């Protein structure tokens, strides 16, 4: 467990409270190890995590993360010092981000009843636009330039697309690809080619593809069109914040960084960051963190407990008196964690 920075330190304890309640209710004994790796650690030691940090994590079943990043440490330092090395070293090439409009939550997009928006963004999590290939030249002169390369591999595209198609088989059998092959002339046509190869392997799945610009518009106007949306690292990142806003708040959006082969620990964290603007006030919405815990239970093959956490989240969200300020309410982070934990303890026999 890595709380990280900012509201990570406030929402992770609520996630643990809920997981422990689920553990008591469904007979799961958790053993947690706390790693105090954060921007504060960086300011003290010059590193976000120790040099052998990845080795320390390697033997665990799963990693439960809050968020990293805080003013005073450049964001690329905090992200590339902890989150991205974990995602890459452990081949967490799937970033799964479910999006659901739940009862009791007021969406800024009108006319969609609860349940009518239910999609999953499957974001490629190991390559793409987030690459270390590139550099800077002629610093501090008029000729200064920066080059950043995008890296798409056949292996990287094929495995994320297959994951998306397999996932669609458990859902509404529809996969949408996010592309931009009109403007980005090498990598994105390659992405489209690999998508059509994957689609041929799954003839029972309906497919479509949109350029990212109009896809973003459709996410707002027609979020009910989508089931599984497969996207590159950058596009998937942006679509998941957008879709989180469409269903009410970034504070509701969970995510799982998955190594499907289970060779390494997978990592579960909310989509949101450390929110320095509200950190320390006790008002962050812990639902994204709690729901990420449910995804962790699912991955650990504790599906009954996972479903119980999701049901409890749905019940609590249906009550506006337990909404945090991001949803227009007055409840605290702790109030929401307590309410979800209470629902789990009170749940009837599975
Ligand atoms: N996975 C991660 O660790 C991760 C992800 C994104 C951003 N970050 C880092 O977090 C820091 C802040 O980034 P940002 O401001 O772009 O994004 P952010 O997600 O932290 O915050 C964006 C906005 O959403 C609000 N918000 C976020 N989570 C919320 C919650 N649970 N409840 C209520 N409101 C919530 C914030 O108050 C803020 O107004 C940066 O250092 C960034 O690099 C880390």
């Amino acid at each position: 467990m890595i709380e990280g920075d900012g509201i990570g330190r406030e929402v992770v304890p609520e996630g643990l409270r809920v997981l422990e309640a689920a553990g008591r209710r469904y007979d799961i004994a958790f053993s947690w190890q706390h790693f105090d790796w954060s921007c504060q650690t960086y300011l003290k030691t010059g590193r976000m995590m120790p040099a052998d940090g990845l080795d320390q994590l390697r033997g665990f079943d799963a990693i439960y993360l809050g968020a990293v990043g805080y003013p005073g440490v450049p964001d690329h330092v905090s992200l590339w010092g902890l989150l991205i090395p974990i995602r890459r070293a452990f081949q967490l090439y799937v970033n799964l981000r479910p999006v659901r409009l739940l009862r009791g939550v007021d969406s800024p997009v009108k006319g969609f009843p609860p349940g009518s928006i239910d999609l999953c963004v499957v974001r490629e999590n190991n390559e793409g636009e987030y690459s270390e290939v590139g550099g800077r030249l002629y610093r501090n002169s008029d000729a200064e330039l920066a080059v950043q390369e995008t890296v798409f591999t056949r292996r990287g595209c094929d495995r994320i697309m297959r994951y998306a198609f397999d996932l669609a088989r458990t859902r509404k059998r529809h996969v949408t690809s996010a592309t931009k092959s009109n403007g980005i002339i090498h990598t994105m046509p390659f992405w489209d080619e690999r998508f059509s190869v994957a689609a041929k392997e799954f003839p029972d799945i309906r497919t479509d593809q949109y350029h990212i610009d109009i896809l973003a518009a459709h996410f707002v106007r027609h979020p009910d069109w989508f089931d599984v949306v497969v996207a590159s690292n950058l596009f998937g990142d942006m679509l998941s914040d957008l879709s989180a806003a469409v269903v009410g708040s970034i504070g509701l959006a969970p995510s799982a960084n998955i190594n499907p082969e289970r060779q390494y620990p997978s990592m579960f964290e909310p989509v949101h960051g450390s929110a320095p603007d509200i950190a320390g006030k006790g008002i962050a919405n812990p639902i994204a963190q709690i729901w990420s815990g449910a995804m962790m239970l699912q991955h650990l093959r504790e599906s009954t407990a996972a479903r119980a956490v999701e049901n409890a989240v749905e019940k609590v969200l249906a009550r506006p008196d337990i909404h945090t300020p991001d949803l227009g309410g007055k409840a605290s982070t702790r109030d929401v964690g307590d309410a979800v934990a209470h629902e789990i303890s009170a749940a009837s026999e599975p």
Side-chain angles (χ1 to χ4, degrees):
M1 181 257 289
I2 307 169
E3 291 180 340
D5 295 298
I7 62 166
R9 295 176 176 270
E10 298 165 42
V11 292
V12 169
E14 300 312 317
L16 293 191
R17 187 190 313 286
V18 167
L19 285 166
E20 286 296 342
R24 280 193 299 278
R25 182 71 185 71
Y26 299 98
D27 238 350
I28 308 160
F30 293 101
S31 162
W32 299 101
Q33 184 160 333
H34 177 216
F35 292 94
D36 191 14
W37 297 345
S38 64
C39 286
Q40 278 171 26
T41 311
Y42 177 86
L43 292 173
K44 277 188 248 152
T45 67
R47 304 187 64 97
M48 290 294 294
M49 61 178 170
D52 67 347
L54 293 171
D55 289 332
Q56 292 190 40
L57 295 176
R58 200 179 299 272
F60 285 85
D61 292 330
I63 303 165
Y64 194 47
L65 173 75
V68 286
Y70 218 69
V73 177
D75 286 343
H76 67 273
V77 170
S78 46
L79 243 64
W80 281 89
L82 192 141
L83 191 66
I84 295 184
I86 296 174
R87 286 177 174 167
R88 295 198 176 189
F90 295 159
Q91 290 290 297
L92 309 180
Y93 60 84
V94 176
N95 194 341
L96 181 60
R97 297 179 154 190
V99 179
R100 251 187 270 154
L101 180 57
L102 298 173
R103 198 154 52 91
V105 179
D106 189 22
S107 163
V109 179
K110 299 300 165 207
F112 294 97
S116 63
I117 306 173
D118 181 0
L119 62 93
C120 271
V121 176
V122 173
R123 168 192 179 192
E124 200 294 317
N125 212 25
N126 275 180
E127 54 179 44
E129 302 86 349
Y130 294 18
S131 98
E132 284 165 286
V133 183
R136 299 267 291 262
L137 277 179
Y138 309 121
R139 281 175 194 258
N140 305 319
S141 78
D142 285 352
E144 186 164 16
L145 68 91
V147 175
Q148 173 88 47
E149 300 289 359
T150 293
V151 176
F152 281 14
T153 64
R154 183 185 278 218
R155 175 170 165 266
C157 294
D158 288 0
R159 65 187 183 178
I160 195 66
M161 287 170 185
R162 285 204 187 102
Y163 184 91
F165 279 95
D166 278 333
L167 179 65
R169 275 196 171 145
T170 68
R171 297 174 46 96
K172 292 175 273 177
R173 294 180 175 257
H174 175 200
V175 178
T176 301
S177 165
T179 184
K180 189 60 193 169
S181 46
N182 57 350
I184 299 177
I185 65 163
H186 299 301
T187 48
M188 279 296 166
F190 178 65
W191 171 272
D192 292 354
E193 266 171 54
R194 299 319 301 168
F195 185 66
S196 63
V197 169
K200 285 199 185 76
E201 285 175 31
F202 295 84
D204 53 318
I205 306 289
R206 182 159 70 89
T207 59
D208 46 25
Q209 65 182 53
Y210 297 96
H211 295 306
I212 186 68
D213 36 0
I214 191 62
L215 183 55
H218 288 331
F219 260 48
V220 175
R221 295 300 301 269
H222 311 288
D224 56 335
W225 279 1
F226 302 102
D227 177 20
V228 174
V229 180
V230 65
S232 64
N233 211 331
L234 176 65
F235 290 175
D237 199 9
M238 296 191 295
L239 286 176
S240 36
D241 275 37
L242 174 59
S243 47
V246 165
V247 294
S249 169
I250 180 92
L252 299 175
S255 93
N257 301 266
I258 301 172
N259 173 243
E261 293 76 22
R262 295 175 182 262
Q263 294 159 306
Y264 302 101
S266 290
M267 178 166 68
F268 301 84
E269 53 159 349
V271 167
H272 64 72
S274 58
D277 54 335
I278 57 165
K281 296 185 178 159
I283 55 165
N285 191 337
I287 294 289
Q289 187 76 49
I290 291 170
W291 192 347
S292 304
M295 295 181 82
M296 182 166 79
L297 288 170
Q298 184 70 41
H299 182 76
L300 296 173
R301 301 194 170 104
E302 297 287 354
S303 353
T304 307
R307 250 194 326 276
V309 174
E310 286 188 18
N311 290 342
V313 162
E314 290 192 28
K315 281 197 178 143
V316 168
L317 277 178
R319 290 178 48 191
D321 58 312
I322 323 180
H323 282 184
T324 40
D326 56 309
L327 296 176
K330 291 201 172 73
S332 69
T333 309
R334 172 83 196 243
D335 293 337
V336 177
D338 272 345
V340 177
H342 179 77
E343 283 294 342
I344 292 168
S345 311
S348 53
E349 282 300 315

